[in-house]
Amino acid sequence: MKSLIMAALLALGLHAANKELVVYNWSEYLPESVLEDFEKESGIKVRYSTYDSNEAMYAKIKTAGGESYDIVVPSTYFVNKMSREGLLAKIDKSKLKNYANLDPKLLGKPFDPKNDYSIPYLWGSTGMSYNAKALGEGAVSAWSDLWKKEYAGKLLLTDDLREVIGMALLSLGYSSNTTNPKEIEAAYTKLTTLIPNVKLFNSESPKGVYISEEVVVGMNFNGENYMANTEMPELRYVYPKEGVLVWVDSLVIPKGAKNIEAAHAFIDYLLRPEVAKTISEEIGYATPNMAAVKLLEPEVAANRIIYPTADDLTKSEFQLDVGEAITIYEKYWEKLKTGN
Amino acid sequence: MRLSRFARFSIALLFFWIVLFAFLPQIMVLIASLFSKGATSFIVFEPTVSNYTRLFDPIYLQIFVDSLVLAGVTTLLCLLIAFPFAAILARSPKAWRALLLVLVIIPFWTSSLVRTYALIALLKTKGLINAALLSLGLIEAPLELMYTQSAVFIGMVYTLLPFMILPLYAALEKIDPRLIEAASDLGAGFWSRLTRITIPLSLSGIIAGCMLVFLPALGMFYIPDLLGGAKNLIIGSFIRNQFLTFRDWPFGAAASMLLTFMMLMLVALYAYRERKAGA
């Protein structure tokens, strides 16, 4: 009798485990309809929760352990940080029928050379925006243009030390992933001369600041510029000459996840061309799914803000984990913000 | 003195609450501040005092100084605005006072973060203040209000003003109006009455109000971030960054302990003064 109950409980437990998938994603990063369709088709119940920074997500996975989530969506350099720390489970690509849809140009990146741990979900860039009505067409084309004297007090920078110092490194011709303290210091010194131009640091919602015309030029994310264009068509997005900062958000399975089977099924579902198309069109960032790109509405596919040309991406760089050198970046970031 | 069962229960509950949610977390912060940061874990159990010595680096000292200046100026501005307000409140007809006090308290019903966003709608280039001034013809180009130091002070003073008004009102209301009359009869002018009667008699309210404004002002990082454009680091945002962005929990904990210590010193000073005044 006892063993019968045990068996029943075990079966129930397994049943529950197979039927529930816990997804932890960026806020406003997956259309509701996609989740509902997945639930209907697979019979798997999805529990969905969100975060708004890699750091918050990382702190949760690190302290609560991987068993709380089945799918997480870290950005570029958090993938190699987390895999290096053994926080991620290997993905079995034989279970992903739609893996071949992915653009080889976005696979095998340095943060996960064999894509053992991560499957690209959406990608985008951090470049420059400017108000063409206020400054005229073609006013800026390079990061170094931000230093022009006439932009005093008119500039927005993102509130992210890797991006801001990375931008300065690129403008000096260095890699934005450098671990050389001399180069980071040179970028800091160059940034101190940019401060008189800076009106504010904002990563939360740069589009709102551009739309309200508090600033006329500065750094921006491509998706934010795209969304701002519905209200402000004169906001132009620029891929700077010295190279744009590119990032990819990837689907990963944390080590210890309870429902590895369902996680694979979910990843494979998101890789379907028609699903990836819906996501890219509704969220406003680019899909790495080549088959989906073919299905896109022509005006979305032709929009250089979301889908840059190969020329736009010359010299572009993916952000990588810089390891312990991050403390050097932090030190100069604090110096920059305290005006020392 | 015998306490009723209910009173004993309430005190025990409160005591338990404070131990569980204030004292124990504070002890955990203290412990964390005495260990090291690991490359791949938040805390490594290697004892060190380096988290505290690092705080005395000029960069971090500058953050503390900037925060103290911000909190100090905010407190002064609050005092200058709240004092006349509280004085009028205390001398207004009884029937009016309750209503005026409710008006002071009503903003508390909305989260201060939401009210800060509301200030953005007022202050921005295309905001209500600029639109009104432009349409009245008082200015020709929009004023630059957002992302300036003035915007930060407007936000800080607006948010913290009630904390200054309430204790001031409590102190001023207690002053016997006959004392002022007597001073006046004896030929004391306005300044003389203010500096020799009103201010000395409301000193405990002034000090309490200053503490209630100064201490929260030290930690209010979202107002300089949202209204000032995150251009300066203050202690509050510095501690948040250590925990969330840089993942250096021990260092963040040490900064938090130093802030707690500074606040405790101020409170102790206040308690000491009160005891002396009472004796």
Side-chain angles (χ1 to χ4, degrees):
Chain A
M1 188 63 202
K2 216 180 206 172
S3 61
L4 201 68
I5 294 171
M6 281 296 282
L9 281 176
L10 205 68
L12 269 174
L14 281 176
H15 182 77
N18 276 331
K19 293 292 170 195
E20 192 176 69
L21 179 76
V22 191
V23 178
Y24 193 34
N25 195 359
W26 293 83
S27 45
E28 293 182 72
Y29 216 43
L30 183 67
E32 193 95 357
S33 64
V34 171
L35 282 181
E36 284 165 11
D37 291 346
F38 174 74
E39 287 187 328
K40 230 176 275 164
E41 188 187 301
S42 64
I44 297 169
K45 169 113 192 56
V46 178
R47 263 207 295 135
Y48 192 73
S49 56
T50 61
Y51 52 85
D52 51 20
S53 75
N54 279 307
E55 286 81 8
M57 173 276 298
Y58 172 84
K60 234 185 187 155
I61 301 289
K62 190 92 186 173
T63 48
E67 66 267 24
S68 330
Y69 301 102
D70 300 310
I71 294 277
V72 189
V73 195
S75 308
T76 327
Y77 63 100
F78 267 78
V79 171
N80 60 342
K81 182 173 176 62
M82 290 170 79
S83 64
R84 214 183 44 209
E85 292 175 18
L87 294 172
L88 302 182
K90 271 206 169 171
I91 291 174
D92 182 353
K93 275 173 276 193
S94 68
K95 288 181 182 151
L96 306 176
K97 295 193 300 288
N98 297 307
Y99 183 74
N101 291 336
L102 289 167
D103 187 345
K105 287 203 286 293
L106 287 154
L107 294 173
K109 289 291 165 192
F111 58 85
D112 189 9
K114 289 190 195 141
N115 284 87
D116 284 335
Y117 300 99
S118 67
I119 304 294
Y121 172 61
L122 287 174
W123 66 280
S125 63
T126 306
M128 298 194 294
S129 286
Y130 72 94
N131 183 332
K133 216 191 238 167
L135 299 182
E137 295 291 344
V140 290
S141 59
W143 288 121
S144 54
D145 290 337
L146 298 179
W147 272 263
K148 283 186 191 165
K149 286 241 162 28
E150 67 239 50
Y151 301 147
K154 291 180 175 168
L155 205 74
L156 179 147
L157 299 183
T158 58
D159 198 8
D160 181 305
L161 74 159
R162 283 296 307 278
E163 284 181 354
V164 172
I165 297 176
M167 173 275 283
L169 283 163
L170 285 171
S171 80
L172 289 167
Y174 300 131
S175 161
S176 63
N177 296 312
T178 184
T179 52
N180 180 341
K182 285 260 156 50
E183 293 177 2
I184 302 171
E185 190 185 352
Y188 157 75
T189 311
K190 186 157 188 207
L191 281 172
T192 53
T193 63
L194 184 62
I195 291 298
N197 281 7
V198 178
K199 180 111 186 216
L200 80 158
F201 293 89
N202 185 321
S203 287
E204 231 191 344
S205 172
K207 67 168 181 288
V209 187
Y210 283 106
I211 290 171
S212 65
E213 293 180 32
E214 301 290 347
V215 294
V216 292
V217 62
M219 297 171 80
N220 203 359
F221 311 118
N222 62 331
E224 287 276 307
N225 196 120
Y226 175 76
M227 284 185 266
N229 280 155
T230 51
E231 269 182 74
M232 191 188 217
E234 67 269 28
L235 193 68
R236 303 274 178 275
Y237 188 71
V238 178
Y239 293 93
K241 272 186 207 149
E242 302 99 322
V244 74
L245 299 160
V246 186
W247 34 264
V248 184
D249 293 330
S250 298
L251 302 160
V252 305
I253 305 175
K255 188 164 254 171
K258 288 201 192 101
N259 212 334
I260 303 242
E261 275 307 306
H264 280 88
F266 185 68
I267 294 176
D268 199 38
Y269 183 81
L270 295 182
L271 288 177
R272 286 187 194 174
E274 59 284 7
V275 176
K277 164 194 182 283
T278 311
I279 295 171
S280 176
E281 284 179 355
E282 290 200 24
I283 306 295
Y285 284 103
T287 176
N289 195 312
M290 284 188 303
V293 170
K294 287 189 194 121
L295 301 176
L296 287 171
E297 297 292 329
E299 70 266 23
V300 176
N303 192 316
R304 257 180 69 199
I305 299 176
I306 310 184
Y307 289 98
T309 64
D311 272 358
D312 292 335
L313 297 179
T314 30
K315 294 196 188 164
S316 66
E317 272 191 338
F318 279 93
Q319 275 187 346
L320 300 178
D321 185 15
V322 292
E324 269 309 286
I326 191 70
T327 53
I328 308 170
Y329 280 85
E330 288 163 11
K331 181 108 179 170
Y332 284 118
W333 181 246
E334 275 155 2
K335 274 178 94 147
L336 192 67
K337 284 234 178 166
T338 48
N340 275 297
Chain B
M1 186 174 62
R2 276 190 55 86
L3 290 170
S4 73
R5 197 176 283 177
F6 177 73
R8 266 182 293 166
F9 172 74
S10 312
I11 291 170
L13 191 70
L14 258 175
F15 182 75
F16 181 70
W17 187 272
I18 289 171
V19 167
L20 195 64
F21 295 114
F23 186 70
L24 286 180
Q26 194 65 51
I27 295 295
M28 283 161 73
V29 172
L30 175 66
I31 292 170
S33 74
L34 294 169
F35 288 99
S36 321
K37 173 202 188 187
T40 59
S41 62
F42 293 117
I43 293 168
V44 200
F45 291 97
E46 288 164 14
T48 175
V49 290
S50 70
N51 298 312
Y52 288 94
T53 49
R54 259 170 82 199
L55 282 175
F56 293 94
D57 183 299
I59 301 177
Y60 305 126
L61 280 181
Q62 187 65 46
I63 295 175
F64 272 86
V65 170
D66 287 352
S67 310
L68 290 172
V69 169
L70 178 71
V73 174
T74 301
T75 309
L76 198 68
L77 289 172
C78 278
L79 183 62
L80 290 176
I81 298 169
F83 198 90
F85 187 94
I88 294 168
L89 194 59
R91 294 287 161 260
S92 56
K94 273 235 161 67
W96 284 77
R97 277 186 225 169
L99 179 73
L100 289 172
L101 277 175
V102 168
L103 288 179
V104 171
I105 292 162
I106 280 181
F108 280 113
W109 297 353
T110 311
S111 144
S112 63
L113 191 60
V114 174
R115 283 182 283 135
T116 306
Y117 276 102
L119 274 180
I120 297 179
L122 286 175
L123 296 175
K124 65 184 182 183
T125 306
K126 288 179 170 176
L128 291 174
I129 292 178
N130 272 317
L133 291 175
L134 280 170
S135 66
L136 288 172
L138 290 173
I139 51 171
E140 283 178 4
L143 298 174
E144 255 188 59
L145 298 168
M146 271 306 284
Y147 311 118
T148 60
Q149 199 61 31
S150 329
V152 175
F153 283 123
I154 292 173
M156 296 291 268
V157 169
Y158 167 70
T159 307
L160 294 167
L161 193 61
F163 294 102
M164 185 65 90
I165 291 176
L166 296 176
L168 278 181
Y169 166 75
L172 288 169
E173 198 217 0
K174 276 193 223 127
I175 298 177
D176 190 336
R178 286 173 302 178
L179 291 173
I180 313 271
E181 280 166 32
S184 185
D185 287 347
L186 293 170
F190 174 78
W191 278 112
S192 190
R193 292 201 301 270
L194 184 70
T195 52
R196 295 170 75 174
I197 311 282
T198 316
I199 290 180
L201 285 175
S202 59
L203 202 58
S204 67
I206 293 174
I207 294 173
C210 287
M211 304 258 307
L212 285 176
V213 171
F214 187 78
L215 299 182
L218 282 176
M220 243 178 215
F221 59 83
Y222 56 88
I223 291 177
D225 273 10
L226 287 174
L227 299 177
K231 276 178 286 194
N232 293 303
L233 274 176
I234 66 160
I235 312 178
S237 39
F238 172 74
I239 294 173
R240 182 200 52 183
N241 285 349
Q242 293 307 323
F243 277 91
L244 271 180
T245 314
F246 306 155
R247 297 180 294 282
D248 192 341
W249 289 16
F251 192 37
S256 166
M257 285 312 295
L258 184 60
L259 183 61
T260 310
F261 177 75
M262 278 163 47
M263 290 182 172
L264 272 179
M265 283 293 108
L266 281 171
V267 174
L269 210 68
Y270 174 65
Y272 173 73
R273 207 204 132 276
E274 284 292 280
R275 187 130 45 102
K276 237 173 83 177

